[in-house]
Amino acid sequence: NPFGVGQTVTHGIVSALARTQVGITDYQFFIQTDAAINPGNSGGALVDMTGKLVGINTAIFSRSGGSQGIGFAIPANMVRVVVASAKSGGKAVKRPWLGARLQAVTPDIAESLGLRLPTGALVAHVAPGGPAAKAGLKVSDLMGAIDGKSIDDPNAFDYRFATRPLGGSAQVDVQRGGKTLKVIIPLEVAPDTNRDEITISARSPFQGAKVVNISPAVAEELRLDSNAEGVVVIDLEDGAPAAGVGFQKGDIIMAVNSQKIAKTSDLDKAAKTSSRVWRIIVVRGGQQINVTLGG
């Protein structure tokens, strides 16, 4: 009811499925519709002609702020995973963990692999001991389908994999060295060990930052590289010094004043050390940033 006129129903067609280049959420795999979706409709139901729920309205593409016939909805399969997690009493949505980093297939990569089109998801890194490693996946493997459903890009794989039920397994079609293999990947949650969550309270640039040790679960939650290590910011208190100096959720604190930060207790100790100048090394979005504060 975005305009306060009462409950409203609009109609249209499904314009496209599996839209992945939308840039809205971590898991991108949307239903596109031209049924009018306006500001305030997020969370509304997208239903088919028999009244069955097929998606939850999430976003619109608009230059004016109103509906221009390009709306996006989360597929019901993803909604089902979230609802199941809520019903189980969990504090967070639990999804299968791959334990690998994927990259898109560019035209150059497709040509080198002898593909007609740049499609599929290429394995760029495999975390030791993770499900991908257990299944035998290797760097440069090209994944083309999961449980018989084709994969156009890494976003499509993420969605297909994330909506599989925990406890079973997924069969992935892989191209390796010109041969097609079928790899069985166990569907298990990422381990969340030695999290050691703390909020930095000492007067320092880190004051008000909530940080944790990076575990596979944390890396999965924050979409960090599967091989990331160290201490990461997961939240910032409003108005706190940490927010004021520009720290962001997902920042990995690597070093403070030439001291390596390997765990949260290291950062807590560094924050309590009096210093006029703070030299900090941060990794953000895979890029290392050297910051100097004070002086």
Side-chain angles (χ1 to χ4, degrees), residues 182-205:
K182 293 192 180 297
V183 175
I184 306 300
I185 302 177
L187 299 171
E188 54 191 52
V189 295
D192 193 8
T193 56
N194 194 28
R195 191 180 181 97
D196 197 18
E197 179 179 306
I198 63 170
T199 299
I200 304 298
S201 58
R203 288 181 60 86
S204 69

Side-chain angles (χ1 to χ4, degrees), residues 245-263:
V245 300
F247 282 113
Q248 299 178 13
K249 181 178 179 180
D251 283 351
I252 302 173
I253 313 299
M254 301 295 295
V256 177
N257 292 338
S258 301
Q259 297 296 313
K260 181 181 177 181
I261 304 300
K263 51 187 183 296

Side-chain angles (χ1 to χ4, degrees), residues 2-3 10 35-42 60 65-68:
F3 302 117
T10 62
I37 299 175
N38 284 292
N41 277 143
S42 292
I60 60 173
S67 174
Q68 293 186 328

Side-chain angles (χ1 to χ4, degrees), residues 119-121 143-146 149-154 156-157 160 172-173:
T119 185
M143 298 190 290
I146 178 170
K149 295 183 178 179
S150 62
I151 298 165
D152 290 333
D153 55 31
F157 178 87
R160 297 288 186 201
V172 178
D173 294 349

Side-chain angles (χ1 to χ4, degrees), residues 29 41 53 58 76 89 93 98 122 125 165 167 178 217 243-244 263-264 272:
F29 200 83
N41 277 143
L53 179 71
T58 300
V93 178
L98 177 61
L122 199 65
H125 176 266
K263 51 187 183 296
T264 56
K272 291 175 180 176

Side-chain angles (χ1 to χ4, degrees), residues 134-172:
K134 294 176 184 176
L137 276 179
K138 299 181 183 299
V139 172
S140 298
D141 280 352
L142 178 65
M143 298 190 290
I146 178 170
D147 288 337
K149 295 183 178 179
S150 62
I151 298 165
D152 290 333
D153 55 31
N155 284 320
F157 178 87
D158 285 347
Y159 170 78
R160 297 288 186 201
F161 194 71
T163 52
R164 290 293 181 272
L166 289 165
S169 61
Q171 179 178 283
V172 178

Side-chain angles (χ1 to χ4, degrees), residues 198-246:
I198 63 170
T199 299
I200 304 298
S201 58
R203 288 181 60 86
S204 69
F206 309 101
Q207 187 176 3
K210 183 181 290 185
V211 296
V212 297
N213 296 326
I214 297 177
S215 65
V218 170
E220 186 83 357
E221 176 187 329
L222 297 178
R223 309 293 283 175
L224 305 175
D225 281 348
S226 56
N227 59 337
E229 296 179 346
V231 174
V232 63
V233 177
I234 62 167
D235 200 8
L236 296 158
E237 295 178 352
D238 291 339
V245 300

Side-chain angles (χ1 to χ4, degrees), residues 259-279:
Q259 297 296 313
K260 181 181 177 181
I261 304 300
K263 51 187 183 296
T264 56
S265 58
D266 294 339
L267 183 60
D268 192 38
K269 181 180 178 181
K272 291 175 180 176
T273 302
S274 178
S275 180
R276 293 182 60 188
V277 178
W278 297 85
R279 294 182 176 85

